[in-house]
Amino acid sequence: MSKEPQVSSVKPYKEWQENQPSGPQFGILSKLHGTWVNWKDGPSGLHTTCMPSPGTSSETIFGVFHFKSQQYREQLKFTRVNAPVRNRGGSNEQFNGALKYETAIIDNDNALQHFENGMYLWLGDNTMPWQEDSPYQNPPTMFKHRSSAESVKADAAEPVMGAGELGPQFVPPHSISRSGVIPHGTTIHLTGQVAQSSDEGIAPDIGALWEQQYLSISPTMGMDPARDLIAGSREKPKWTALPREDQEGGGVNSARAYFQRIFNYDQFGAKYPYTVQPNLLLTDANKNLKFKRFDLIELDSQHDTGVQGATVNNVMIERYCRVARMRHRMWLEEIEVKGKDGKIKVIDQLQYEQIVDFEFMFGSSGGTTLWPHIQVNTLRRVEDIPLDEQLPAIKLPEEEDKATDGAPEPVVRHMKHTLD
């Protein structure tokens, strides 16, 4: 056995110094800054939503539900906050890069359907060993912070500890978080990271046909993709055309009779197969596009191990239509398009899929039923869309601020990360 000391591959972070870092790090989130929209003759967004039916309650057996699906268009704005946000953890200092987001969604009749605001945070590159040349670690987001004679005296640390002490170094398990406020009465907190970065010329693989985790019908609803859908084909199953009383497995009380409305839905621009698997819209939007590359961000409110995210509901939502989980996938893509001048240029495209799990009512087994609420959309930066293809901007019906005549002009205030 060698007597030579072993060298650890885990290198401590840089020592924090006053007023460091001088600027924020946004990592992959730097690609989001700006306003993203739908465009004329381009793909629309789509949502699928199951809701408690009028006259029901949370104890109803079995769960009578109302199904609604709609096309929509969206205005999604991201704004970088150009100041690092300091989290003090004793031996560790973390500096978040904050990116505000605001979204507004209207339906095909131009009626407001949804709005939401929140924040994405770049938490740091969770890679060890520490790499000076990493593009996401310059400026650094994590620092070590030893006790000093001054901090020991100021914080009355004696005799527990002295100067120069340093605890374990924290490695962030996630590099991205998203917090959002939804006006129905739910606050979300999702965490995750970049799950995939493609090589040159690779298009994203959105999902396999009838892959259970992306369907608007969950296993708790009594449907089985292997039994109730046609493997490898988008053709509508023949059983969806039968009257309810002729469905196998119990007639009007069968799962097929109960959920065939999702297959036969045809309102507000929404129809099969997209009402069953909405992300097929994303796949179809990418047909005939030439991709340069893409990055995939995956966020979730639940994780197999470790610290969890959260979905927090107000009283009515928690009792009657509980939001139990939220998953979010976002593709940041570079594609080639032909401009009005006939020249090929590279622009950015943003696609997302988010799946929110509602829980309400009981199934025939006595267990609580899970109802997926799914949203998908394909967006591009407004400046990359020709003027004649742009749609009118979306404005929320908000009360206008009343400015005071002669008031002092606003002044930008920068954070100063000092010891006190």
Side-chain angles (χ1 to χ4, degrees):
M1 184 174 179
S2 173
K3 294 184 179 180
E4 294 294 324
Q6 299 298 304
V7 178
S8 172
S9 63
V10 180
K11 300 178 182 179
Y13 298 123
K14 288 184 175 181
E15 191 77 47
W16 181 79
Q17 298 178 4
E18 193 161 313
N19 294 323
Q20 290 294 320
S22 58
Q25 167 68 259
F26 296 102
I28 193 72
L29 301 182
S30 62
K31 296 185 177 184
L32 289 174
H33 184 74
T35 301
W36 304 77
V37 294
N38 297 104
W39 63 99
K40 290 180 183 177
D41 300 321
S44 297
L46 184 84
H47 81 86
T48 64
T49 309
C50 294
M51 297 166 278
S53 181
T56 64
S57 71
S58 56
E59 292 77 28
T60 299
I61 297 178
F62 56 98
V64 181
F65 74 101
H66 176 71
F67 180 75
K68 187 174 185 178
S69 185
Q70 284 179 295
Q71 286 184 332
Y72 65 82
R73 75 174 179 94
E74 182 173 9
Q75 182 172 287
L76 176 59
K77 181 180 180 181
F78 295 93
T79 305
R80 287 197 296 255
V81 180
N82 287 318
V85 182
R86 181 181 179 185
N87 286 337
R88 309 184 190 215
S91 291
N92 296 272
E93 300 280 354
Q94 181 184 52
F95 289 84
N96 296 335
L99 192 77
K100 298 190 298 181
Y101 78 88
E102 302 170 87
T103 186
I105 289 174
I106 61 174
D107 62 22
N108 288 344
D109 294 325
N110 294 319
L112 183 64
Q113 188 182 107
H114 179 77
F115 61 95
E116 178 184 333
N117 59 31
M119 196 165 291
Y120 280 79
L121 299 179
W122 177 255
L123 307 176
D125 189 343
N126 56 349
T127 302
M128 276 293 184
W130 193 253
Q131 298 174 358
E132 294 283 353
D133 59 350
S134 169
Y136 296 154
Q137 294 177 332
N138 184 24
T141 59
M142 295 294 301
F143 294 84
K144 62 183 178 182
H145 197 165
R146 299 179 188 275
S147 62
S148 65
E150 292 80 8
S151 70
V152 168
K153 182 178 179 181
D155 300 336
E158 291 180 327
V160 178
M161 60 183 294
E165 297 196 29
L166 183 70
Q169 297 297 281
F170 170 72
V171 181
H174 309 290
S175 55
I176 300 168
S177 77
R178 171 187 167 190
S179 299
V181 179
I182 299 164
H184 294 292
T186 300
T187 302
I188 59 167
H189 181 217
L190 317 178
T191 52
Q193 50 263 321
V194 179
Q196 183 184 359
S197 294
S198 74
D199 296 324
E200 184 79 13
I202 303 297
D205 182 9
I206 305 295
L209 182 64
W210 309 141
E211 191 171 348
Q212 177 65 77
Q213 63 177 323
Y214 303 130
L215 302 186
S216 61
I217 303 171
S218 80
T220 65
M221 296 159 73
M223 299 293 289
D224 181 358
R227 180 195 65 208
D228 300 313
L229 295 163
I230 302 173
S233 173
R234 294 192 186 187
E235 181 184 352
K236 187 185 290 189
K238 289 184 173 55
W239 63 263
T240 60
L242 296 175
R244 289 189 63 194
E245 58 270 17
D246 293 340
Q247 296 291 347
E248 67 176 52
V252 296
N253 291 322
S254 69
R256 284 184 172 184
Y258 199 48
F259 296 109
Q260 69 180 155
R261 76 188 86 165
I262 296 179
F263 291 81
N264 294 325
Y265 193 91
D266 189 3
Q267 297 182 61
F268 311 112
K271 61 172 61 178
Y272 177 90
Y274 308 114
T275 53
V276 177
Q277 186 173 343
N279 68 21
L280 295 177
L281 273 176
L282 304 182
T283 299
D284 292 351
N286 290 342
K287 288 180 179 177
N288 304 320
L289 290 182
K290 186 173 182 181
F291 284 81
K292 294 287 289 182
R293 65 178 313 278
F294 71 88
D295 296 290
L296 168 61
I297 294 172
E298 290 188 341
L299 307 176
D300 203 330
S301 66
Q302 293 182 8
H303 299 280
D304 291 337
T305 63
V307 177
Q308 302 296 305
T311 56
V312 182
N313 305 298
N314 68 16
V315 178
M316 182 177 178
I317 297 298
E318 181 71 16
R319 179 166 181 177
Y320 293 107
C321 189
R322 177 175 176 261
V323 176
R325 181 184 182 185
M326 180 172 174
R327 288 167 282 163
H328 182 79
R329 295 194 297 164
M330 180 191 292
W331 293 265
L332 303 176
E333 304 156 346
E334 296 176 15
I335 60 172
E336 292 185 358
V337 297
K338 183 180 288 188
K340 297 289 186 181
D341 57 2
K343 295 181 179 179
I344 299 297
K345 62 178 181 178
V346 176
I347 67 169
D348 294 327
Q349 179 171 276
L350 184 156
Q351 294 186 297
Y352 71 79
E353 174 184 44
Q354 57 186 31
I355 303 174
V356 180
D357 292 339
F358 295 164
E359 288 184 352
F360 60 89
M361 312 303 184
F362 294 101
S364 58
S365 66
T368 303
T369 304
L370 182 150
W371 311 82
H373 162 49
I374 302 177
Q375 291 176 264
V376 298
N377 206 356
T378 299
L379 306 168
R380 292 181 182 173
R381 292 183 186 277
V382 67
E383 61 264 30
D384 289 330
I385 300 172
L387 287 175
D388 61 347
E389 296 179 18
Q390 292 184 17
L391 295 163
I394 300 172
K395 184 174 176 59
L396 294 178
E398 299 173 320
E399 184 177 0
E400 298 290 340
D401 287 337
K402 294 181 179 179
T404 303
D405 292 336
E409 289 294 318
V411 178
V412 175
R413 307 291 182 181
H414 296 282
M415 286 186 166
K416 187 177 182 181
H417 300 298
T418 57
L419 286 168
D420 53 15

